[in-house]
Amino acid sequence: MSRELGLKELYLGFRDPKAIKVYAKLIEQEAQKIPNEVNIMEVCGGHTHAIMKYGLNQLLPKNVKFVHGPGCPVCIMPKERIDHAYVLSEQKDVILITLGDMIKVPGSRGTLQDARAKGSDVRFVYSPMDTLKIAAQNPDKTVIFFAIGFETTTPMTAALINQVIEKRINNILFHINHVTVPEPMRVLLDDETNKIDAFIGPAHVSVISGSKIYDEFPRDYKKPLVVSGFEPVDVMKSVLMILKQLSEGRCEVEVEYSRSVTHDGNTEAQKLNNMYFEKREHFRWRGIGDIAKSALKLKDEYGYLDAEVFYKEILPNEKIDDHKLCICGDILKGKANPVECKVFGKACTPSSPLGSCMVSSEGACAAYYKYGNLL
Ligand code: SF4
Ligand code: SF4
């Protein structure tokens, strides 16, 4: 007799403590074959959380370490872009819409939560498509979708744009802050002081982009990369795959998360993205600085949907630095650990964050705080 598998049954195997222990043993054996220290950067905040939640860092041998990377779209958003959202929300008859944690990140004028407390109509949605309903219910208002995220969420914004055009909706505008993964990875590797020996590649991003976007890292930088799922068994297996590459003298892109990731990715989603977006010349990443061609904007022909074009005259553009004690920049570059920050868990906590890595639920500081017995 057949029966459907419950959700729990689907993921339990990927969290099985016995399997994690077996991988820890295999990792230890493989690490013994490697004489030097191995620093593995997990690019994505989702992996940072899995590592901290399941204590995977404590299961690694002495010569293998995780370093945390710039893979959270909230953590890398510079203050001036948050100020854009703040100013837009203050405009007459505007409803500003965004996703999750963005509402809590402080810009130089405060957070979007503060703007809301002062009377702005700021709402957060779980799906960009909810914007359509809000626009239909408020025909006299301009609804601005403040779009954030990596390759993962870009197709959802593109699908929303598609709907707006097809249905000839005339009260939705877009403020586009989508960023792309390979460019910051390149910047980190071009920095000669970097401590990165290999990468754990993002899961969701790679479902859309395919693993092909990482081909340059083994080829040009001689750094192995394994695209990994988010569950603890996935992460441990990925570490083992990386160590095997290093001990066997191989250097390539491998996909541990083969249940969802292919080399070419979701080509339909990529087509949709290419229809509406093109690369910006530059985008400033919080803590890292200007990175060429690392973010997207609406193509000029869709300028009539672009809030940055429509509100050009009022949007502030001065660059704003982080709090002087905040070392988010070094954390996002894999050069420091959250506990090395002097104000970690003291002046900076999730309820009163000084930097974005403590705000975002995917941020490294938030992960260390949440899973380091500080709550
Ligand atoms: S959106 Fe997905 S891939 Fe990107 S940082 Fe978050 S969890 Fe990682
Ligand atoms: S603990 Fe706070 S101030 Fe320190 S690096 Fe993290 S976010 Fe910045």
Side-chain angles (χ1 to χ4, degrees), residues 54-127:
Y54 296 100
L56 305 182
N57 49 344
Q58 293 163 31
L59 299 177
L60 296 186
K62 275 204 182 81
N63 65 330
V64 182
K65 287 198 175 58
F66 289 117
V67 290
H68 316 303
C72 169
V74 175
C75 295
I76 59 85
M77 193 63 59
K79 282 187 175 176
E80 54 267 25
R81 303 293 292 181
I82 299 159
D83 285 354
H84 278 199
Y86 195 103
V87 168
L88 289 172
S89 78
E90 289 178 319
Q91 302 312 302
K92 191 166 176 294
D93 294 329
V94 159
I95 301 175
L96 188 101
I97 308 234
T98 192
L99 299 171
D101 287 338
M102 206 59 230
I103 204 158
K104 295 186 279 172
V105 193
S108 74
R109 295 158 199 243
T111 63
L112 288 172
Q113 233 162 8
D114 298 332
R116 188 153 70 176
K118 287 185 186 156
S120 293
D121 193 345
V122 179
R123 306 184 193 185
F124 80 92
V125 291
Y126 289 105
S127 159

Side-chain angles (χ1 to χ4, degrees), residues 103-255:
I103 204 158
K104 295 186 279 172
V105 193
S108 74
R109 295 158 199 243
T111 63
L112 288 172
Q113 233 162 8
D114 298 332
R116 188 153 70 176
K118 287 185 186 156
S120 293
D121 193 345
V122 179
R123 306 184 193 185
F124 80 92
V125 291
Y126 289 105
S127 159
M129 286 299 170
D130 294 342
T131 308
L132 294 172
K133 210 187 325 164
I134 295 171
Q137 287 163 349
N138 297 276
D140 302 332
K141 305 257 171 141
T142 301
V143 176
I144 302 177
F145 182 67
F146 188 80
I148 61 160
F150 285 91
E151 288 87 337
T152 329
T153 52
T154 314
M156 295 191 250
T157 306
L160 176 61
I161 295 170
N162 209 27
Q163 289 287 301
V164 168
I165 293 172
E166 267 183 32
K167 295 186 173 161
R168 296 172 188 268
I169 297 168
N170 60 10
N171 66 332
I172 298 182
L173 294 176
F174 294 83
H175 189 283
I176 302 296
N177 301 276
H178 287 299
V179 284
T180 49
V181 164
E183 293 77 13
M185 289 172 69
R186 232 177 270 148
V187 166
L188 300 188
L189 290 175
D190 286 337
D191 175 350
E192 282 169 6
T193 64
N194 85 73
K195 301 191 224 165
I196 307 159
D197 299 299
F199 289 103
I200 287 181
H204 297 153
V205 162
S206 312
V207 173
I208 303 294
S209 66
S211 63
K212 62 176 188 269
I213 62 164
Y214 313 114
D215 287 347
E216 64 181 293
F217 297 108
R219 188 189 59 224
D220 303 341
Y221 292 93
K222 310 293 171 235
K223 305 289 179 190
L225 184 146
V226 175
V227 176
S228 174
F230 282 128
E231 296 296 339
V233 169
D234 289 316
V235 177
M236 293 299 274
K237 187 175 169 195
S238 300
V239 171
L240 181 63
M241 288 167 78
I242 286 172
L243 295 182
K244 273 186 179 294
Q245 285 201 38
L246 293 172
S247 72
E248 292 166 10
R250 289 183 292 120
C251 184
E252 51 200 76
V253 174
E254 289 183 296
V255 179

